[in-house]
Amino acid sequence: MSRVLELTRELTARPSLTPDDAGCQRLISERLLPLGFSVEWFLCGEVSNVLFTRGRGSPSLWFLGHTDVVPPGPEELWTFLPFHPDEKGGELYGRGVADMKGAVAAMTVALETYVQQQPDHAGEIGLLLTSDEEGEAVDGIVRVAQELERRGRRPDHCLVGEPSSLQTLGDTVRVGRRGSVYVRLQVYGIQGHTAFPENLDNPVHRIAPFLADLVGLEWDTGDAEFPASHCQIAYVHAGTGAGNVTPAHIELLANFRNGPGSPIESIRSRFEELLRQHEISDFDIEWDIMGEPFRSEPGKLREAVVGAVGEVLGVTPELNTGGGTSDGRYIAPLGSEVVELGLINSTIHQVDERTPVADLDRLFATYYDIIRRILT
Ligand SMILES: [Zn+2]
């Protein structure tokens, strides 16, 4: 069995539901420490973060990944039990194989192989892992990044192993990510009898024209790498359930996915300005910022990734900023070049998450080639 497949299976067999690492990082440390890597643990609450590095100075390349997984959902719907990885039709099934234990295994084996072949390599290589990517992400890489910033420490280049590929391995590489922010709005009125409109103030009627304007707003037009920023209403609730009673308040939850053309501060002020225009003044509002957008300017890592994907996988990748947020958002502000390349994402977070077995070794070979291109 290939080393990458074997390690992927070992990691997948550990039910590391966020924030539980379930010993995954310990397993990796047992492999990297004998090869001369230093280790630093950042334990925050229930979350385990760990940084392995070897060598020093420039150029420096760190891999970034997570060992936690999302819940498997109903086990009876799975072809194999979610934490008993198994193969069928050339694919490996199991919770986390694609997001992203396969990539963590490929990174680990790429680092092992590189230092075995180049024990006196130039610069620094590293691997940064968290067990809090899929959850609240409050004690994960954000905390490590704060500590790194305090020390003035960062990698020149950071390769994130999130599953970026769509149909074939390497077809998509992420060179940034959109931001994400939630707004929860509660608008108050006066509850009353539907037969006596003069005695009530219906918050649904108040908010309806506001909502029409909100969803029609053009936030920006996007650019070559970022689609236009947009707002999606995720939840609306009002009323008592009785047909002759108007609601006392209405609650709304919306999510913005934004590009650099609309930083969160500008979304916030435009949203609140729109409330004023509609003379909505009796309300509570709460903003929950998940992350600002980031973009990685073209650099040595982008060049190495595109070169390696072309040479090893025979693919010319599309460079974009699609998908949700990733932990790259915490490393990019340190000044590192951040690029994301990982397995095919078509089954992530689903029942029967799976990945082509052959892609594990192909991803390893690509990561290895990226290290070689950056360090030599
Ligand atoms: Zn992930």
Side-chain angles (χ1 to χ4, degrees), residues 66 99-100 133-134 162-163 349:
H66 61 87
D99 186 10
M100 55 170 283
E133 197 278 337
E134 300 287 10
E162 289 291 353
H349 295 210

Side-chain angles (χ1 to χ4, degrees), residues 70-242:
V70 295
E75 288 197 345
E76 63 276 16
L77 297 180
W78 283 72
T79 301
F80 305 107
L81 285 172
F83 299 109
H84 289 78
D86 214 337
E87 291 166 45
K88 193 182 123 187
E91 293 186 296
L92 178 67
Y93 288 64
R95 172 56 82 228
V97 292
D99 186 10
M100 55 170 283
K101 288 176 169 174
V104 168
M107 292 167 170
T108 305
V109 178
L111 290 169
E112 288 172 350
T113 309
Y114 188 77
V115 304
Q116 279 159 352
Q117 289 174 1
Q118 305 285 338
D120 303 316
H121 61 82
E124 179 190 63
I125 44 177
L127 173 62
L128 176 58
L129 296 171
T130 181
S131 66
D132 184 25
E133 197 278 337
E134 300 287 10
E136 294 284 299
V138 288
D139 285 326
I141 297 302
V142 61
R143 297 282 295 271
V144 180
Q146 284 163 358
E147 178 57 22
L148 292 172
E149 188 171 25
R150 200 185 61 75
R151 297 183 197 170
R153 182 150 159 67
R154 65 171 168 84
D156 301 330
H157 313 283
C158 177
L159 183 60
V160 185
E162 289 291 353
S164 63
S165 303
L166 299 180
Q167 268 139 23
T168 51
L169 184 63
D171 63 1
T172 306
V173 166
R174 308 243 187 258
V175 292
R177 291 274 188 158
R178 286 176 297 179
S180 174
V181 58
Y182 294 94
V183 60
R184 190 179 288 277
L185 177 71
Q186 187 104 237
V187 174
Y188 302 99
I190 300 168
Q191 181 176 317
H193 193 304
T194 51
F196 301 94
E198 61 279 12
N199 295 336
L200 55 87
D201 174 8
N202 192 327
V204 179
H205 294 199
R206 202 169 262 286
I207 208 172
F210 164 82
L211 280 186
D213 278 0
L214 178 71
V215 298
L217 260 185
E218 180 182 270
W219 300 90
D220 55 60
T221 51
D223 60 37
E225 284 158 349
F226 280 89
S229 302
H230 69 105
C231 167
Q232 290 296 321
I233 309 289
Y235 174 87
V236 178
H237 178 80
T240 62

